[in-house]
């Protein structure tokens, strides 16, 4: 009973906040609704017993990616009126994207039900149980059957990261004061200061 | 506790519900009391280090100072700036406070004294503590004022930077303990050092990690020397500038609840949590919560000690420490720990 209630609560929240991401007038509000959607999606994951995925969703998307979104959107100071003006023009495009996504989901679930790929039992009732918890299950699968794909994903991410750094890195032309932390730490008071005891009425020669 | 309520003649559902509710209250109410007392302790420690007396007027030894402050704040008028984004302005302190309390659900206070004994306990704490940044960012933006906004920008960059190294540090501990469950992590530390000292800190590979964790915890909770988000000489009070009354108090309580959580985590991950410091039978007669509280108090003392003695970092130094020192070091330790475990534990 409580699972059903929880499921409908999370599902309605996901859809409602997803809709509000698009409908909100203020981009910052949109990002916050998106965060709520992520969070409720994590709730749905917990309901199907995938607590590891749920935690990763919160850590990666809510804790890191969405913070950067929010950061950028807050900094940009977007003109809301201008943003709204393009809505009618871009509406067909967004509908097309939505239809493609829906078709993909239907196709994916259909293929899963037919059971060509061994992801779980074909009728979709239960996934095969390998280890004790689903962290162990994911670990066992990821580091044995899907090792190559997993490593590939890692390498693609690495390449993307290096690409981003190369694109944004600019060799600064201006002469900048360079800070050498080790040099600063190695500096002792004796190197920097000198004790003088001048006689009364006499100055110090520098 | 569910079994106890079932014995009183309730159905399982009701017993579970009431047991969980009373569990939440049993954690949250003492936590609030603890936060009040810990603020008092914080001020006393700073005062002692600065050769002052600290709070000493309200109640015996000034013990009731925090309650007097709380009452003062409670009776103040709530002021919402007219240019602020009202909904988010009110939401931000509530969010900070709620998130600060959420993590406590999985903290084990004793062998069985844990509200939610889930097998992803450590990940849960990591996930919830990564939400803490939203309270700061939203309040900074919703205030519609320059200083809070700068503070929000600083906070989001700072917390993401240090979360990365905290993640790798947690991975090291998890590798050694072989589990994400906090109770099992504590049990894995039993007799870890020389066969009788309970705690991972005695391990030469994990000791540097413990030091890094403590420093990252300072940065994550925005304490001195990393309190750039509320640097009073530059940003007035940072993201709290526009807040007054209870909304301000919620930030305050949330901040200290987070600090206590970090103290609890340090003791659980590296100092054996509710285990006595030495694996010696008579010490186990002392309830586990006493050991945990003693360890937490010690780390809280270290937090205040640092606050009273260390000057604030510059922002570029903070970023350098996070990305150029802690990230490579923690990554190196992940490799070192896994290599050592591969050789010693899994070589067969």
């Amino acid at each position: 009973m409580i699972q059903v209630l929880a499921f409908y609560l999370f599902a309605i929240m996901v859809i409602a906040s997803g809709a509000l991401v698009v409908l909100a007038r203020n981009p910052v509000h949109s990002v916050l609704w998106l965060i709520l959607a992520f969070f409720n999606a994590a709730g749905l994951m917990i309901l199907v017993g995938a607590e590891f995925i749920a935690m990763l969703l919160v850590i990666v998307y809510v804790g890191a990616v969405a913070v950067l979104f929010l950061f950028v959107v807050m900094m940009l100071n977007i003109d809301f009126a201008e943003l709204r003006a393009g809505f009618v023009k871009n509406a067909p495009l967004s509908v097309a994207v939505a239809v493609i996504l829906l078709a993909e989901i239907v196709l994916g679930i259909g293929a899963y039900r037919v059971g060509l790929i061994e992801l779980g039992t074909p009728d979709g009732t239960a996934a095969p149980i390998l280890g004790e918890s689903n962290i162990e299950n994911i670990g066992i699968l990821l580091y044995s059957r899907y090792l190559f794909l997993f490593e590939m994903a890692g390498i693609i991410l690495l390449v993307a990261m290096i690409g981003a750094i190369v694109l944004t890195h600019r060799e600064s032309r201006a002469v900048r004061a360079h800070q050498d932390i080790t040099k600063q730490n190695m500096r002792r008071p004796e190197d920097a200061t000198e004790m003088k005891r001048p006689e009364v009425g006499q100055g110090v020669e520098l | 506790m569910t079994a106890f309520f079932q014995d009183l003649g309730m159905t399982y559902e009701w017993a579970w519900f009431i047991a969980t509710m009373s569990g939440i209250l049993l954690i949250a109410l003492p936590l609030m009391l603890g936060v009040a007392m810990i603020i008092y302790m914080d001020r006393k420690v700073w005062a002692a280090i600065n050769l002052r007396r600290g709070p000493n007027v309200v109640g015996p030894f000034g013990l009731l100072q925090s309650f007097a402050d709380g009452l003062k704040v409670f009776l103040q008028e709530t002021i919402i700036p007219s240019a602020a984004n009202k909904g988010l302005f009110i939401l931000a302190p509530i969010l900070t406070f709620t998130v600060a309390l959420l993590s406590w659900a999985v903290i084990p206070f004793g062998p069985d004294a844990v509200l939610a004994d889930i097998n992803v306990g450590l990940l849960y704490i990591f996930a919830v503590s990564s939400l803490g940044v939203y309270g700061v960012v939203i309040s900074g933006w919703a205030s519609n004022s320059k200083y809070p906004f700068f503070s929000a920008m600083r906070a989001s960059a700072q917390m993401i930077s240090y979360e990365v190294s905290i993640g790798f540090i947690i991975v090291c501990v998890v590798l050694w303990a072989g589990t994400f469950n906090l109770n099992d992590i504590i049990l894995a530390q039993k007799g870890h050092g020389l066969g009788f000292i309970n705690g991972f800190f005695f391990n030469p590979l994990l000791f540097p990690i413990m030091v890094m964790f403590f420093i990252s915890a300072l940065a994550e909770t925005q304490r001195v020397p990393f309190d750039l988000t509320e640097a009073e000489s530059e940003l007035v009070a940072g993201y709290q500038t526009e807040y007054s009354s209870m909304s301000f108090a919620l930030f305050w309580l949330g901040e200290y609840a987070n600090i206590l959580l970090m103290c609890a985590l340090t003791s659980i991950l590296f100092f054996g949590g509710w285990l006595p410091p030495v694996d010696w039978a008579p010490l186990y007669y002392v309830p586990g919560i006493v050991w945990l509280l003693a360890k937490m108090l010690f780390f809280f003392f270290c937090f205040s000690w640092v606050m009273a003695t260390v000057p604030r970092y510059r922002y570029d130094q903070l970023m350098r420490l996070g990305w150029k020192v802690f990230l490579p070091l923690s990554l190196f330790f992940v490799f070192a720990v896994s290599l050592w475990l591969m050789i010693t534990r899994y070589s067969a």
Side-chain angles (χ1 to χ4, degrees):
Chain A
M1 182 58 196
I2 190 143
Q3 283 99 331
V4 178
L5 275 179
F7 171 78
Y8 280 111
L9 178 73
F10 286 137
I12 290 169
M13 291 288 273
V14 168
I15 293 172
S17 42
L20 282 165
V21 172
V22 187
L23 296 176
R25 281 164 182 246
N26 191 329
V28 173
H29 292 180
S30 290
V31 178
L32 291 173
W33 286 118
L34 183 68
I35 292 162
L36 191 64
F38 282 146
F39 211 76
N40 283 292
L44 285 176
M45 296 285 184
I46 288 181
L47 280 186
V48 296
E51 71 270 10
F52 183 63
I53 306 281
M55 291 303 147
L56 283 194
L57 191 69
V58 175
I59 292 170
V60 175
Y61 284 95
V62 182
V65 174
V67 175
L68 293 179
F69 271 12
L70 203 58
F71 191 88
V72 171
V73 170
M74 280 180 181
M75 293 275 272
L76 280 181
N77 202 7
I78 301 161
D79 185 4
F80 307 141
E82 196 181 318
L83 211 74
R84 302 280 295 173
F87 184 79
V88 179
K89 200 182 73 186
N90 293 328
L93 187 67
S94 61
V95 170
V97 171
V99 167
I100 291 172
L101 280 179
L102 184 70
E104 277 180 348
I105 291 173
V106 169
L107 204 68
I109 293 175
Y112 173 68
R113 303 277 292 192
V114 171
L116 283 179
I117 312 171
E118 288 176 38
L119 286 173
T121 49
D123 55 351
T125 46
I129 294 161
L130 303 161
E132 275 186 6
S133 65
N134 76 54
I135 300 179
E136 282 174 38
N137 284 343
I138 290 172
I140 289 169
L141 277 178
L142 219 52
Y143 289 100
S144 59
R145 202 193 296 178
Y146 299 113
L147 182 65
F148 178 70
L149 291 174
F150 181 61
E151 304 256 296
M152 273 306 286
I155 291 193
I156 290 169
L157 282 176
L158 184 69
V159 170
M161 192 174 80
I162 293 172
I165 292 171
V166 168
L167 282 177
T168 51
H169 184 70
R170 237 175 279 152
E171 207 65 57
S172 56
R173 297 275 169 77
V175 182
R176 220 176 68 205
H178 185 70
Q179 187 179 21
D180 189 347
I181 300 281
T182 19
K183 201 174 152 194
Q184 290 181 344
N185 284 340
M186 294 295 283
R187 202 162 180 231
R188 297 271 80 95
E190 301 86 64
D191 312 333
T193 55
E194 196 181 335
M195 284 295 284
K196 294 262 185 175
R197 292 182 182 279
E199 294 293 316
V200 177
Q202 284 175 332
V204 180
E205 291 275 328
L206 283 172
Chain B
M1 204 156 22
T2 312
F4 170 75
F5 283 110
Q6 261 180 309
D7 287 344
L8 293 180
M10 295 182 199
T11 59
Y12 178 77
E13 284 82 10
W14 274 106
W16 178 85
F17 180 74
I18 292 177
T20 310
M21 281 300 158
S22 43
I24 292 171
L25 289 180
L26 269 177
I27 293 174
L29 294 182
L31 181 66
M32 285 300 95
L33 197 66
V35 164
M37 293 326 289
I38 220 86
I39 292 173
Y40 167 76
M41 175 182 161
D42 213 8
R43 297 174 64 175
K44 273 291 190 195
V45 171
W46 301 337
I49 291 175
N50 298 345
L51 297 178
R52 291 184 284 115
R53 280 177 192 276
N56 62 351
V57 176
V58 190
F61 308 106
L63 272 170
L64 299 177
Q65 179 68 47
S66 301
F67 299 101
D69 286 346
L71 190 69
K72 181 197 79 178
V73 158
F74 188 71
L75 295 175
Q76 275 174 344
E77 183 193 352
T78 309
I79 298 168
I80 299 175
S82 54
N85 191 318
K86 206 168 276 174
L88 290 180
F89 187 83
I90 295 169
L91 179 75
I94 299 173
L95 196 68
T96 309
F97 184 70
T98 316
V99 164
L101 289 188
L102 268 180
S103 309
W104 288 90
V106 295
I107 296 287
F109 296 98
D112 302 311
V114 47
L115 184 64
D117 198 9
I118 55 176
N119 66 351
V120 285
L122 197 49
L123 274 182
Y124 171 82
I125 287 187
F126 191 54
V128 171
S129 70
S130 69
L131 299 180
V133 66
Y134 284 113
V136 180
V137 172
I138 292 175
S139 66
W141 184 79
S143 298
N144 200 1
S145 160
K146 290 282 184 294
Y147 292 124
F149 191 65
F150 274 125
S151 166
M153 294 288 119
R154 286 183 178 188
S156 50
Q158 173 177 343
M159 289 182 84
I160 286 184
S161 312
Y162 280 86
E163 243 158 51
V164 179
S165 58
I166 284 193
F168 282 126
I169 289 165
I170 285 178
V171 167
C172 290
V173 176
V174 167
L175 277 173
W176 208 289
T179 171
F180 273 109
N181 183 302
L182 287 172
N183 249 335
D184 291 344
I185 289 176
I186 290 173
L187 287 174
Q189 300 177 41
K190 199 171 177 181
H192 185 77
L194 305 176
F196 66 94
I197 295 169
N198 295 328
F200 277 150
F201 72 97
F202 219 72
N203 187 323
L205 267 178
L206 292 177
F207 181 77
I209 298 243
M210 189 272 289
V211 176
M212 279 200 284
F213 183 82
F214 185 74
I215 298 173
S216 302
L218 286 175
E220 193 72 3
T221 50
Q222 289 149 18
R223 285 281 287 198
V224 172
F226 307 108
D227 64 336
L228 285 135
T229 53
E230 46 202 277
E232 68 277 353
S233 50
E234 307 157 21
L235 296 181
V236 190
Y239 58 93
Q240 306 165 346
T241 306
E242 305 290 344
Y243 283 88
S244 59
S245 173
M246 270 320 271
S247 48
F248 173 74
L250 285 181
F251 274 125
W252 207 26
L253 293 173
E255 202 174 298
Y256 272 91
N258 266 333
I259 291 168
L260 272 185
L261 179 81
M262 281 299 171
C263 295
L265 263 190
T266 318
S267 22
I268 286 168
L269 292 181
F270 298 99
F271 288 81
W274 43 259
L275 288 172
V278 182
D279 196 18
W280 184 47
L283 289 181
Y284 284 93
Y285 288 109
V286 181
I289 189 163
V290 174
W291 294 118
L292 183 67
L293 284 181
K295 287 166 187 173
M296 278 166 62
L297 276 182
F298 172 73
F299 287 113
F300 188 77
F301 173 74
C302 294
F303 266 73
S304 346
W305 187 8
V306 170
M307 174 118 181
T309 48
V310 180
R312 186 178 300 132
Y313 259 54
R314 222 170 48 211
Y315 201 71
D316 61 313
Q317 292 171 329
L318 171 95
M319 283 295 148
R320 180 184 165 273
L321 185 71
W323 289 105
K324 293 189 180 168
V325 180
F326 278 5
L327 181 61
L329 257 184
S330 52
L331 201 55
F332 166 76
F333 274 104
V334 171
F335 280 110
V337 167
S338 354
L339 182 71
W340 177 255
L341 289 178
M342 276 306 279
I343 293 170
T344 56
R345 203 186 289 178
Y346 302 108
S347 57

